[in-house]
Amino acid sequence: MTTALAAKIAREYGTPCAVIDMDRVERNIARVQAACDAAGLANRPHIKTHKSPMLAQMQIAAGAQGITCQKIGEAEVMADAGIDDILISYNLLGEEKMARLAALQARATMTVAADNAVVVADLPKAAAASGRTLNVVVECDTGRKRAGVETPAEAIALAREIAGSKGLKFGGFMLYPTETGWAEAQRFYDEALAGVRAHGLDASMVSTGGSPNLKNLGKLKGATEHRPGTYIYNDRMQVAAGVASWDDCALNIYSTVVSRAAPDRGILDAGSKTLTSDTGGGLDGHGLILEHPEARIARFAEEHGFLDLTRSNTRPNVGDVVRIVPNHVCVVVNMMDEVVMVRGDEIVGTLPVAARGKLR
């Protein structure tokens, strides 16, 4: 970034402002697609990071098989843009969501995940209303203790329940192993696969995730696809995980220093409403300031980022515009109505965050 570009962005859009480097975005898309291709896995990127139909279409044009969404609202935005092959990787419950799922299923090829019988019992309503068979994968917990069945026996039982439900098809398994838990995930998957095969079923879709596991691509024997999301922008978490460099971080928050009331402290105009309070799993501070990497964004108020400059060799002045690499870019993007696109030192336009706020 040149000082001239920072000044132009501040002048034309104001700060705080989310800015994406489209050259880096394109490199990230190409790099991860090539890695999936080399591993013999389909790429099904998770759009929860960018929430943009245009960027999803760029991923598909580069070779992605389809996309992953976390919520129906995201999937609706993507289907409206003509994207057809969509996995919703989240338990869906209730009449309202079944009606919306049916409408989606009527116009796009949908797969949904489930980890319990209550969810499975609802899904035939959506299949019946859409007039199409609905593909369902069993979500398996292989160490994160988030969602997912906890044992292969539970996975087998749920697969049989799906297969026995009118309008549903058992599609396979969805896993998100921990970065160091792939041997355990393999044992879980092998036992679950043998069990469903013993009952005349098979797993045509075996989906692994996400960006922190890009270094583990291909380690699960039998996997058919991978679901990375954050890789398109990257952030401090991905750098800490060893799957990205600072040069791969395509989204920065441009922020202005608005106060330097004392030599060892200052205030940014990016607070918790911009950078969010996500610590990124224990990272020090709330983002990396590229111009002053020793500085810490130590804490927040809603519109104030509190700078701790005690360790900083260089210290910003009031009025300086700095670039911040967020801890967790996905939650930061969801705070934005749009992002500014640049190439080199040129502003090339703005991009709406079309699926922003689609939490249902």
Side-chain angles (χ1 to χ4, degrees):
M1 176 198 75
T2 64
T3 302
L5 176 62
K8 187 175 183 181
I9 286 172
R11 183 172 63 251
E12 295 190 11
Y13 299 98
T15 63
C17 181
V19 179
I20 59 171
D21 183 322
M22 289 302 295
D23 293 328
R24 290 185 178 187
V25 165
E26 290 174 356
R27 288 200 302 268
N28 290 340
I29 290 173
R31 174 174 57 88
V32 170
Q33 184 63 50
C36 288
D37 291 344
L41 294 171
N43 180 21
R44 185 182 292 277
H46 208 313
I47 63 84
K48 70 181 178 68
T49 300
H50 56 71
K51 293 177 172 281
S52 161
M54 186 193 88
L55 294 181
Q57 288 162 341
M58 287 173 59
Q59 290 170 313
I60 291 168
Q65 171 177 291
I67 61 169
T68 305
C69 298
Q70 199 77 335
K71 297 297 180 74
I72 288 182
E74 294 175 336
E76 289 168 335
V77 171
M78 297 298 147
D80 287 345
I83 295 173
D84 179 64
D85 187 348
I86 302 173
L87 164 67
I88 298 179
S89 56
Y90 199 87
N91 285 330
L92 302 177
L93 280 166
E95 297 293 335
E96 182 263 351
K97 288 186 172 58
M98 291 306 103
R100 291 166 65 196
L101 178 58
L104 270 174
Q105 169 79 350
R107 61 195 177 106
T109 301
M110 299 297 301
T111 300
V112 298
D115 79 347
N116 65 79
V118 176
V119 169
V120 171
D122 251 1
L123 295 176
K125 301 170 189 174
S130 71
R132 299 176 63 186
T133 300
L134 178 61
N135 200 47
V136 185
V137 293
V138 174
E139 182 174 6
C140 304
D141 172 38
T142 50
R144 292 190 184 271
K145 301 303 177 188
R146 193 166 66 176
V149 296
E150 288 205 326
T151 68
E154 291 175 289
I156 297 160
L158 197 60
R160 295 182 68 194
E161 189 156 351
I162 292 165
S165 299
K166 187 175 181 180
L168 304 186
K169 177 187 176 184
F170 168 64
F173 300 105
M174 187 181 81
L175 307 91
Y176 190 2
T178 66
E179 287 85 324
T180 58
W182 285 64
E184 293 83 355
Q186 187 72 62
R187 288 192 289 271
F188 187 114
Y189 167 68
D190 288 346
E191 185 176 339
L193 180 63
V196 298
R197 284 179 171 172
H199 292 284
L201 303 174
D202 208 349
S204 59
M205 180 176 178
V206 181
S207 183
T208 58
S211 292
N213 274 321
L214 286 169
K215 58 190 173 186
N216 292 315
L217 280 179
K219 283 190 177 179
L220 187 78
K221 185 179 179 182
T224 63
E225 66 173 40
H226 194 70
R227 308 180 315 279
T230 312
Y231 78 95
I232 193 167
Y233 290 153
N234 289 306
D235 54 22
R236 283 184 83 197
M237 290 172 65
Q238 305 313 307
V239 174
V243 295
S245 70
W246 297 119
D247 286 340
D248 298 323
C249 293
L251 184 145
N252 296 153
I253 295 296
Y254 282 44
S255 178
T256 301
V257 179
V258 295
S259 176
R260 282 292 315 283
D264 61 354
R265 66 184 180 90
I267 296 292
L268 297 171
D269 64 0
S272 64
K273 286 183 176 177
T274 301
L275 291 169
T276 83
S277 57
D278 195 324
T279 60
L283 294 170
D284 184 27
H286 294 280
L288 176 78
I289 301 174
L290 292 170
E291 290 76 17
H292 304 280
E294 301 91 358
R296 290 180 68 244
I297 305 174
R299 58 191 179 93
F300 287 138
E302 291 179 55
E303 308 293 354
H304 298 71
F306 290 72
L307 287 177
D308 175 357
L309 302 173
T310 55
R311 300 182 305 188
S312 189
N313 295 322
T314 60
R315 301 187 178 191
N317 299 311
V318 172
D320 286 357
V321 178
V322 297
R323 297 168 299 160
I324 303 166
V325 179
N327 285 351
H328 187 183
V329 72
C330 306
V331 289
V332 168
V333 171
N334 193 54
M335 307 294 281
M336 307 295 161
D337 289 324
E338 65 180 15
V339 295
V340 175
M341 297 180 289
V342 300
R343 289 188 186 274
D345 288 335
E346 297 297 321
I347 298 171
V348 297
T350 59
L351 181 66
V353 184
R356 176 187 182 272
K358 300 298 184 182
L359 305 178
R360 297 185 289 110

